[in-house]
Amino acid sequence: MYKNIDKQKKLNLAQEIEYQPAQVVSKTIVQNKEISMTLFSFDKGEELSTHAAGGDALVTVLDGTGQFVVDGQEFILNIGESLIMPKDIPHSVHANEKFKMLLCVSF
């Protein structure tokens, strides 16, 4: 079930979350035993340290450019680009500049 977001309305996901100075901001839009969907905004220099997810994680950059390191391999993603980070594989996210992303994890 979707939450924290309008239904039956045209959406621009990048506009559904704001940047905050010196913060990573998250907004959960779906959370259940099968899938998690979360919007994130990263201020320049902010990051999510190395961790692993309990499911395959698809990220799509909505604004700016994000740096992702998956099992030691670096990926730079721009607006509209996506990456799948496999279940249980260590990964991190870094904002060399401000950026927003949609994270979808399937369990």
Side-chain angles (χ1 to χ4, degrees):
M1 178 170 198
Y2 285 89
K3 60 183 181 180
N4 302 319
I5 199 161
D6 291 332
K7 298 175 186 170
Q8 221 171 324
K9 178 183 171 186
K10 182 178 173 178
L11 300 170
N12 179 325
L13 292 176
Q15 294 176 357
E16 294 294 322
I17 192 163
E18 299 297 325
Y19 290 110
Q20 297 292 327
Q23 291 187 36
V24 175
V25 179
S26 66
K27 180 178 182 179
T28 301
I29 54 179
V30 174
Q31 183 72 52
N32 61 48
K33 65 180 183 173
E34 296 168 347
I35 191 164
S36 170
M37 295 174 66
T38 308
L39 294 170
F40 284 89
S41 68
F42 291 75
D43 196 15
K44 182 178 179 176
E46 296 300 315
E47 64 183 8
L48 294 179
S49 60
T50 302
H51 62 283
D56 288 339
L58 168 70
V59 293
T60 300
V61 173
L62 305 172
D63 187 43
T65 300
Q67 176 188 16
F68 301 81
V69 177
V70 182
D71 202 22
Q73 184 176 2
E74 181 181 302
F75 299 88
I76 303 296
L77 300 180
N78 298 299
I79 296 172
E81 295 181 323
S82 299
L83 174 68
I84 296 175
M85 299 178 289
K87 176 184 177 181
D88 298 328
I89 299 298
H91 58 273
S92 62
V93 183
H94 183 76
N96 294 329
E97 64 178 63
K98 291 164 89 167
F99 87 99
K100 297 177 182 180
M101 71 178 194
L102 172 65
L103 171 67
C104 300
V105 182
S106 58
F107 302 101

